[in-house]
PDB file of all heavy atoms in Angstrom:
ATOM      1  N   GLY C 381     -95.349  50.517 -44.172  1.00 43.00           N
ATOM      2  CA  GLY C 381     -94.014  51.175 -44.539  1.00 43.00           C
ATOM      3  C   GLY C 381     -93.096  51.350 -43.305  1.00 43.00           C
ATOM      4  O   GLY C 381     -93.680  51.522 -42.224  1.00 43.00           O
ATOM      5  N   GLU C 382     -91.889  51.300 -43.535  1.00 38.00           N
ATOM      6  CA  GLU C 382     -90.928  51.575 -42.376  1.00 38.00           C
ATOM      7  C   GLU C 382     -91.200  50.683 -41.156  1.00 38.00           C
ATOM      8  O   GLU C 382     -91.101  51.089 -39.978  1.00 38.00           O
ATOM      9  CB  GLU C 382     -90.903  53.080 -41.939  1.00 38.00           C
ATOM     10  CG  GLU C 382     -90.508  53.980 -42.980  1.00 38.00           C
ATOM     11  CD  GLU C 382     -90.641  55.477 -42.687  1.00 38.00           C
ATOM     12  OE1 GLU C 382     -91.048  55.701 -41.578  1.00 38.00           O
ATOM     13  OE2 GLU C 382     -90.236  56.300 -43.376  1.00 38.00           O
ATOM     14  N   ASP C 383     -91.585  49.423 -41.381  1.00 41.00           N
ATOM     15  CA  ASP C 383     -91.883  48.479 -40.325  1.00 41.00           C
ATOM     16  C   ASP C 383     -92.867  48.912 -39.365  1.00 41.00           C
ATOM     17  O   ASP C 383     -92.933  48.399 -38.305  1.00 41.00           O
ATOM     18  CB  ASP C 383     -90.539  48.145 -39.584  1.00 41.00           C
ATOM     19  CG  ASP C 383     -89.506  47.618 -40.382  1.00 41.00           C
ATOM     20  OD1 ASP C 383     -89.835  46.814 -41.311  1.00 41.00           O
ATOM     21  OD2 ASP C 383     -88.428  48.003 -40.206  1.00 41.00           O
ATOM     22  N   LYS C 384     -93.850  49.755 -39.867  1.00 46.00           N
ATOM     23  CA  LYS C 384     -94.915  50.059 -39.012  1.00 46.00           C
ATOM     24  C   LYS C 384     -96.140  49.233 -39.443  1.00 46.00           C
ATOM     25  O   LYS C 384     -96.166  48.723 -40.597  1.00 46.00           O
ATOM     26  CB  LYS C 384     -95.296  51.624 -39.183  1.00 46.00           C
ATOM     27  CG  LYS C 384     -94.192  52.540 -38.688  1.00 46.00           C
ATOM     28  CD  LYS C 384     -94.532  53.958 -38.974  1.00 46.00           C
ATOM     29  CE  LYS C 384     -93.400  54.991 -38.556  1.00 46.00           C
ATOM     30  NZ  LYS C 384     -93.757  56.319 -38.873  1.00 46.00           N
ATOM     31  N   ALA C 385     -97.164  49.185 -38.675  1.00 50.00           N
ATOM     32  CA  ALA C 385     -98.410  48.428 -38.980  1.00 50.00           C
ATOM     33  C   ALA C 385     -99.565  49.075 -38.502  1.00 50.00           C
ATOM     34  O   ALA C 385     -99.630  49.880 -37.523  1.00 50.00           O
ATOM     35  CB  ALA C 385     -98.310  47.000 -38.316  1.00 50.00           C
ATOM     36  N   SER C 386    -100.749  48.940 -39.242  1.00 49.00           N
ATOM     37  CA  SER C 386    -101.971  49.487 -38.862  1.00 49.00           C
ATOM     38  C   SER C 386    -102.707  48.589 -37.895  1.00 49.00           C
ATOM     39  O   SER C 386    -102.425  47.458 -37.884  1.00 49.00           O
ATOM     40  CB  SER C 386    -102.903  49.664 -40.092  1.00 49.00           C
ATOM     41  OG  SER C 386    -103.191  48.489 -40.605  1.00 49.00           O
ATOM     42  N   PRO C 387    -103.582  49.113 -36.933  1.00 53.00           N
ATOM     43  CA  PRO C 387    -104.346  48.225 -36.047  1.00 53.00           C
ATOM     44  C   PRO C 387    -105.244  47.288 -36.727  1.00 53.00           C
ATOM     45  O   PRO C 387    -105.735  47.457 -37.944  1.00 53.00           O
ATOM     46  CB  PRO C 387    -104.876  49.197 -35.121  1.00 53.00           C
ATOM     47  CG  PRO C 387    -105.242  50.486 -36.181  1.00 53.00           C
ATOM     48  CD  PRO C 387    -103.917  50.417 -36.973  1.00 53.00           C
ATOM     49  N   ILE C 388    -105.569  46.320 -35.939  1.00 58.00           N
ATOM     50  CA  ILE C 388    -106.659  45.333 -36.423  1.00 58.00           C
ATOM     51  C   ILE C 388    -107.911  45.995 -36.718  1.00 58.00           C
ATOM     52  O   ILE C 388    -108.416  46.817 -35.920  1.00 58.00           O
ATOM     53  CB  ILE C 388    -106.747  44.202 -35.463  1.00 58.00           C
ATOM     54  CG1 ILE C 388    -105.550  43.311 -35.396  1.00 58.00           C
ATOM     55  CG2 ILE C 388    -108.030  43.291 -35.846  1.00 58.00           C
ATOM     56  CD1 ILE C 388    -105.625  42.320 -34.266  1.00 58.00           C
ATOM     57  N   THR C 389    -108.517  45.813 -37.793  1.00 57.00           N
ATOM     58  CA  THR C 389    -109.740  46.480 -38.257  1.00 57.00           C
ATOM     59  C   THR C 389    -111.013  45.663 -38.148  1.00 57.00           C
ATOM     60  O   THR C 389    -112.168  46.117 -37.975  1.00 57.00           O
ATOM     61  CB  THR C 389    -109.593  47.003 -39.713  1.00 57.00           C
ATOM     62  OG1 THR C 389    -109.397  45.822 -40.536  1.00 57.00           O
ATOM     63  CG2 THR C 389    -108.456  47.949 -39.826  1.00 57.00           C
ATOM     64  N   GLY C 390    -110.885  44.315 -38.277  1.00 65.00           N
ATOM     65  CA  GLY C 390    -111.999  43.396 -38.212  1.00 65.00           C
ATOM     66  C   GLY C 390    -112.619  43.373 -39.642  1.00 65.00           C
ATOM     67  O   GLY C 390    -113.577  42.591 -39.857  1.00 65.00           O
ATOM     68  N   ARG C 391    -112.089  44.017 -40.685  1.00 69.00           N
ATOM     69  CA  ARG C 391    -112.623  43.970 -41.994  1.00 69.00           C
ATOM     70  C   ARG C 391    -111.595  43.283 -42.925  1.00 69.00           C
ATOM     71  O   ARG C 391    -110.384  43.208 -42.536  1.00 69.00           O
ATOM     72  CB  ARG C 391    -112.883  45.337 -42.625  1.00 69.00           C
ATOM     73  CG  ARG C 391    -113.669  46.161 -41.641  1.00 69.00           C
ATOM     74  CD  ARG C 391    -113.948  47.617 -42.250  1.00 69.00           C
ATOM     75  NE  ARG C 391    -114.746  47.516 -43.434  1.00 69.00           N
ATOM     76  CZ  ARG C 391    -114.750  48.558 -44.281  1.00 69.00           C
ATOM     77  NH1 ARG C 391    -114.035  49.563 -44.070  1.00 69.00           N
ATOM     78  NH2 ARG C 391    -115.597  48.391 -45.348  1.00 69.00           N
ATOM     79  N   LEU C 392    -111.976  42.836 -43.955  1.00 75.00           N
ATOM     80  CA  LEU C 392    -111.058  42.081 -44.808  1.00 75.00           C
ATOM     81  C   LEU C 392    -109.968  43.094 -45.299  1.00 75.00           C
ATOM     82  O   LEU C 392    -110.301  44.286 -45.666  1.00 75.00           O
ATOM     83  CB  LEU C 392    -111.825  41.620 -46.154  1.00 75.00           C
ATOM     84  CG  LEU C 392    -110.923  41.013 -47.215  1.00 75.00           C
ATOM     85  CD1 LEU C 392    -110.444  39.514 -46.776  1.00 75.00           C
ATOM     86  CD2 LEU C 392    -111.804  40.782 -48.489  1.00 75.00           C
ATOM     87  N   SER C 393    -108.729  42.731 -45.133  1.00 78.00           N
ATOM     88  CA  SER C 393    -107.612  43.496 -45.406  1.00 78.00           C
ATOM     89  C   SER C 393    -106.579  42.806 -46.353  1.00 78.00           C
ATOM     90  O   SER C 393    -106.689  41.520 -46.456  1.00 78.00           O
ATOM     91  CB  SER C 393    -106.973  43.990 -44.249  1.00 78.00           C
ATOM     92  OG  SER C 393    -106.260  42.941 -43.656  1.00 78.00           O
ATOM     93  N   SER C 394    -105.802  43.506 -47.041  1.00 82.00           N
ATOM     94  CA  SER C 394    -104.816  42.899 -47.951  1.00 82.00           C
ATOM     95  C   SER C 394    -103.336  43.487 -47.579  1.00 82.00           C
ATOM     96  O   SER C 394    -103.210  44.736 -47.192  1.00 82.00           O
ATOM     97  CB  SER C 394    -105.158  43.239 -49.414  1.00 82.00           C
ATOM     98  OG  SER C 394    -104.141  42.868 -50.260  1.00 82.00           O
ATOM     99  N   SER C 395    -102.409  42.744 -47.668  1.00 82.00           N
ATOM    100  CA  SER C 395    -100.992  43.260 -47.371  1.00 82.00           C
ATOM    101  C   SER C 395     -99.988  42.544 -48.297  1.00 82.00           C
ATOM    102  O   SER C 395    -100.189  41.511 -48.900  1.00 82.00           O
ATOM    103  CB  SER C 395    -100.728  43.026 -45.896  1.00 82.00           C
ATOM    104  OG  SER C 395    -100.753  41.621 -45.553  1.00 82.00           O
ATOM    105  N   ARG C 396     -98.902  43.323 -48.430  1.00 83.00           N
ATOM    106  CA  ARG C 396     -97.684  42.844 -49.217  1.00 83.00           C
ATOM    107  C   ARG C 396     -98.026  42.472 -50.500  1.00 83.00           C
ATOM    108  O   ARG C 396     -97.764  41.192 -50.887  1.00 83.00           O
ATOM    109  CB  ARG C 396     -96.989  41.848 -48.457  1.00 83.00           C
ATOM    110  CG  ARG C 396     -96.407  42.258 -47.070  1.00 83.00           C
ATOM    111  CD  ARG C 396     -95.497  41.279 -46.448  1.00 83.00           C
ATOM    112  NE  ARG C 396     -94.310  41.089 -47.279  1.00 83.00           N
ATOM    113  CZ  ARG C 396     -93.280  41.834 -47.378  1.00 83.00           C
ATOM    114  NH1 ARG C 396     -93.269  43.026 -46.669  1.00 83.00           N
ATOM    115  NH2 ARG C 396     -92.269  41.600 -48.179  1.00 83.00           N
ATOM    116  N   PRO C 397     -98.442  43.349 -51.524  1.00 85.00           N
ATOM    117  CA  PRO C 397     -98.845  44.610 -51.210  1.00 85.00           C
ATOM    118  C   PRO C 397    -100.316  44.759 -50.829  1.00 85.00           C
ATOM    119  O   PRO C 397    -101.112  43.746 -50.922  1.00 85.00           O
ATOM    120  CB  PRO C 397     -98.810  45.312 -52.655  1.00 85.00           C
ATOM    121  CG  PRO C 397     -99.106  44.246 -53.646  1.00 85.00           C
ATOM    122  CD  PRO C 397     -98.638  42.886 -52.973  1.00 85.00           C
ATOM    123  N   ASN C 398    -100.717  45.957 -50.460  1.00 82.00           N
ATOM    124  CA  ASN C 398    -102.305  46.169 -50.218  1.00 82.00           C
ATOM    125  C   ASN C 398    -102.965  46.329 -51.470  1.00 82.00           C
ATOM    126  O   ASN C 398    -102.979  47.456 -52.129  1.00 82.00           O
ATOM    127  CB  ASN C 398    -102.284  47.387 -49.339  1.00 82.00           C
ATOM    128  CG  ASN C 398    -103.767  47.672 -48.916  1.00 82.00           C
ATOM    129  OD1 ASN C 398    -104.728  47.052 -49.406  1.00 82.00           O
ATOM    130  ND2 ASN C 398    -103.957  48.515 -47.929  1.00 82.00           N
TER     131      ASN C 398
END
Side-chain angles (χ1 to χ4, degrees):
E382 298 179 353
D383 297 323
K384 297 178 182 177
S386 66
I388 293 176
T389 61
R391 306 178 71 196
L392 179 69
S393 65
S394 171
S395 56
R396 301 190 59 80
N398 185 347

